[in-house]
Amino acid sequence: MHKPRSPRTHDLPTGVAELVASSLSDNSKRAYRSDLAHFERWGGAIPCSDEVLAAYLSAHADEHTVATLSRRLASIAKAHAVVGAQSPTTSFLVKATMRGIARRHSGTQRQAKPLLREDLFAVLAGMGERPKDIRDRALLLIGFAGGFRRSELVGLDVGDIEHVRQGFVVRLRRSKTDQLGQGRKIGIPFGRTRWCPVAALSQLVTTAVLEEGPLFRPIDRHDRMAEQRLSGEAVSTIVRERLSAAGFDPIGYSGHSLRAGFATSAAQAGAPSWKIRAQTGHGSDAMLARYIRDGELFVGNAAAVVL
């Protein structure tokens, strides 16, 4: 097989090349490079036929999730577009192969467990007042109240937080579904319980003397806070460690558990789906459907009438 060619812009006029490069976020660029490198190591090439691409998918059907393979298809499609070639990702063969993989995975794929409101409160109740406790309390409460993805949460800067009478307005500069960087605003209101997200974040900013730069940062064993921002994986680690410390089995939980927990808890509390979407940034009710279904399992449950 021919060695694959990665998407290139050095043959384009300087102005065009700069615009093409700036059209992608840094995270997207890293993902594309990683995906194409994986395809190359397997033996693929850009451009490729639909038979080759179907064989690649089949070779990794049991190794990777449907989401990962779908992302790699998107990267391969973009690579074809850059070199001016017809993408094989839209062919019947490739689509049928992906449907077969999705059907095979349908009974085995697991989503992150939602960290529900009551369980979150139990976790918070066991935390102290050390610098890591203060940081983690703010991270858990803001992540939950904002329904943030972990990448959105660790991407926040001090300057993204605006104090208003009702609480905080968080300026989300870029997210997974906002590749053009138009941004959106999320309201974080004062809490009605002792676990107020506004108070928790204010305590972090005050005690750590955060004036600019990343909002959530690593803290070493000597309670010294670093200058750089936390990684997305660190959010997952914090969630699992705090759950374990509170006596919960952490298996199945991740950084996404805060977002899933907010959506599910809001559905349980009777919040309308459009209000939940306004907070989480989900594009449609269909994307929220699994959370709402889980949240309403015991609302008007028929078994409660007869038992």
Side-chain angles (χ1 to χ4, degrees):
M1 290 186 179
H2 298 293
K3 184 176 180 180
R5 292 182 293 140
S6 299
R8 299 177 303 178
T9 59
H10 62 263
D11 294 328
L12 297 173
T14 301
V16 176
E18 290 176 353
L19 289 173
V20 170
S22 63
S23 70
L24 300 174
S25 68
D26 290 340
N27 286 341
S28 293
K29 291 175 187 176
R30 284 192 292 269
Y32 292 144
R33 283 195 293 266
S34 173
D35 292 340
L36 294 175
H38 187 271
F39 186 50
E40 178 179 8
R41 287 194 299 271
W42 174 78
I46 303 295
C48 69
S49 67
D50 57 351
E51 291 90 350
V52 169
L53 188 52
Y56 167 73
L57 295 172
S58 177
H60 298 93
D62 295 324
E63 179 183 348
H64 298 295
T65 65
V66 173
T68 296
L69 293 176
S70 296
R71 191 196 71 210
R72 289 194 170 138
L73 280 182
S75 296
I76 291 169
K78 281 188 177 292
H80 278 79
V82 168
V83 299
Q86 178 68 35
S87 172
T89 60
T90 58
S91 76
F92 172 82
L93 178 61
V94 172
K95 288 185 175 181
T97 301
M98 279 301 295
R99 284 196 297 269
I101 294 173
R103 186 178 295 275
R104 180 187 298 182
H105 281 244
S106 61
T108 59
Q109 280 192 299
R110 294 186 302 174
Q111 296 170 343
K113 289 183 180 179
L115 179 53
L116 301 177
R117 175 182 182 271
E118 291 76 13
D119 295 338
L120 172 62
F121 286 0
V123 169
L124 295 171
M127 295 169 61
E129 292 297 328
R130 295 187 60 187
K132 279 189 178 181
D133 296 319
I134 294 172
R135 180 202 64 187
D136 291 357
R137 182 162 51 245
L139 182 143
L140 294 175
L141 281 167
I142 292 297
F144 182 91
F148 292 123
R149 298 176 178 89
R150 64 180 191 175
S151 60
E152 296 169 346
L153 188 58
V154 299
L156 292 176
D157 286 340
V158 177
D160 296 328
I161 309 301
E162 177 187 357
H163 294 260
V164 294
R165 181 174 56 82
Q166 301 94 332
F168 285 143
V169 172
V170 178
R171 170 74 175 182
L172 198 61
R173 287 169 286 118
R174 186 186 294 273
S175 69
K176 180 181 177 181
T177 56
D178 177 30
Q179 291 301 307
L180 295 180
Q182 295 177 329
R184 64 186 184 91
K185 294 181 178 180
I186 301 95
I188 305 294
F190 287 104
R192 296 179 298 172
T193 72
R194 62 182 290 207
W195 306 121
C196 173
V198 175
L201 186 57
S202 296
Q203 183 184 21
L204 171 65
V205 171
T206 300
T207 57
V209 195
L210 298 178
E211 297 179 351
E212 60 181 5
L215 193 59
F216 297 110
R217 313 179 186 195
I219 298 175
D220 66 20
R221 59 191 180 91
H222 300 295
D223 293 334
R224 293 176 300 203
M225 181 172 284
E227 294 295 324
Q228 69 271 21
R229 68 182 72 247
L230 281 176
S231 67
E233 185 54 39
V235 177
S236 296
T237 300
I238 289 169
V239 168
R240 288 191 288 265
E241 287 180 348
R242 292 300 183 177
L243 279 162
S244 181
F248 291 89
D249 182 353
I251 295 176
Y253 289 94
S254 70
H256 188 73
S257 295
L258 296 171
R259 179 174 169 84
F262 166 78
T264 305
S265 297
Q268 288 177 339
S273 61
W274 68 273
K275 276 294 188 180
I276 301 175
R277 286 196 290 111
Q279 198 75 349
T280 64
H282 280 100
S284 67
D285 283 352
M287 298 175 70
L288 266 181
R290 66 181 183 271
Y291 302 124
I292 294 175
R293 284 197 301 269
D294 290 346
E296 295 180 343
L297 284 175
F298 294 93
V299 177
N301 188 295
V305 178
V306 298
L307 292 177

